[in-house]
Amino acid sequence: MPEGDTVFRTARRLHDALAGRIATRFDVRVPGSATADLTGERIHEVVPRGKHLLLRIGEATLHSHLKMEGHWDLYRAGERWRAPAFRARAIVGTAAVDAVGFDLAMVEVLPTADEDRVVGHLGPDPLSPEWNAAEAARNLASDDRAIHVAVLDQRHVAGFGNEYANELLFVRGVLPTTPASEVDTLALMETGARMIRANRDRLGRTFTGDTRPGRQTWVYRREGKPCRRCGTLILGTELGADPTAERIVFWCPRCQI
């Protein structure tokens, strides 16, 4: 599942391949930005912001969001793509490399000066040099909703998705339904930052420290299985800000109280 660490690695791969080069191909296949053409412009950088990618070219930015299924692939010029062409939503090419975004849920070309319109609402990003744990903690503490719901609100803190929310709450011993205003949110954010920073350079995400298949998580997708810490069976349900935004939630009824 693409979360902040996945987006960070994607941005780094794209930046290393594209930054400083001239765009020789630019093709956006979504309404609203399909006529944009940045061919001939210099690619400055690729920057992650929470779960968003900002590819800055000339004086414009190609903004994308991976959501659940999206991904960016890199190909040598002329190399056959590994996914069908009809799934491509954005293509940025140089003389040597093509970057192709498949199944992107959100794609838009906008002036770089207007980036705040698409990412200005985001809270602090634990993978950013400007990370501010205290600000993220204050944002969460002001929310009376369930802490699991609050952590997923990207306006409070940017980059944590559902897998991180489940694992983080287990590690801190917090029941997912606890009101965020009753949680030690600073400790929660400090732990979360350590988690996502530890995973940002790994190809295989792990929360337990064990990278073997089936051993990477404490509770996520482990409903009905014994807790790795105490042996109690893991429970599962769904939570969300509203019925259309519910996410699967897992917890240990003994370790999280």
Side-chain angles (χ1 to χ4, degrees):
M1 180 182 299
E3 302 202 22
D5 51 359
T6 306
V7 175
F8 182 92
R9 287 191 299 275
T10 299
R12 184 167 55 190
R13 283 193 302 109
L14 294 177
H15 180 86
D16 290 346
L18 302 174
R21 295 167 174 81
I22 300 299
T24 58
R25 182 180 182 185
F26 189 85
D27 183 3
V28 175
R29 301 176 178 181
V30 297
S33 292
T35 60
D37 184 6
L38 301 179
T39 302
E41 299 286 351
R42 184 171 299 277
I43 303 168
H44 301 301
E45 59 185 343
V46 186
V47 178
R49 184 72 174 87
K51 298 184 182 183
H52 300 251
L53 274 170
L54 303 171
L55 205 165
R56 294 167 178 158
I57 307 173
E59 296 183 359
T61 294
L62 173 59
H63 164 240
S64 65
H65 195 300
L66 304 183
K67 289 289 185 180
M68 297 291 289
E69 306 294 339
H71 59 98
W72 279 90
D73 291 351
L74 288 171
Y75 300 93
R76 294 185 302 275
E79 181 181 2
R80 183 175 180 179
W81 296 351
R82 293 182 293 275
F86 72 85
R87 290 169 50 190
R89 298 292 178 267
I91 306 158
V92 180
T94 68
V97 174
D98 285 333
V100 186
F102 294 100
D103 300 321
L104 302 174
M106 188 184 300
V107 184
E108 181 182 3
V109 179
L110 70 160
T112 299
D114 294 344
E115 283 181 359
D116 270 1
R117 178 169 61 79
V118 291
V119 295
H121 65 287
L122 297 175
D125 181 349
L127 294 179
S128 166
E130 290 79 37
W131 166 240
N132 188 327
E135 180 183 349
R138 288 193 297 271
N139 292 344
L140 290 171
S142 68
D143 196 331
D144 289 326
R145 295 176 298 174
I147 185 61
H148 186 275
V149 173
V151 168
L152 293 181
D153 190 332
Q154 302 296 295
R155 297 170 298 179
H156 294 334
V157 56
F160 294 128
N162 197 38
E163 188 173 6
Y164 270 95
N166 277 280
E167 295 295 295
L168 175 56
L169 293 176
F170 173 82
V171 169
R172 293 300 312 174
V174 178
L175 192 66
T177 53
T178 305
S181 56
E182 298 177 10
V183 173
D184 184 346
T185 55
L186 181 58
L188 191 73
M189 289 296 93
E190 290 174 342
T191 301
R194 289 195 296 272
M195 275 186 172
I196 200 166
R197 289 174 182 175
N199 278 320
R200 69 183 174 188
D201 297 323
R202 293 186 176 121
L203 290 179
R205 182 186 298 153
T206 181
F207 298 94
T208 62
D210 192 334
T211 58
R212 291 175 293 177
R215 301 288 299 177
Q216 301 101 321
T217 62
W218 292 104
V219 293
Y220 186 68
R221 293 193 180 277
R222 297 195 66 247
E223 183 178 5
K225 296 180 180 179
C227 174
R228 300 190 195 280
R229 182 179 290 166
C230 72
T232 304
L233 295 185
I234 300 299
L235 301 180
T237 188
E238 293 184 352
L239 282 176
D242 59 67
T244 66
E246 289 187 338
R247 299 291 184 268
I248 50 177
V249 179
F250 307 91
W251 75 98
C252 171
R254 183 174 181 181
C255 295
Q256 294 169 259
I257 55 174

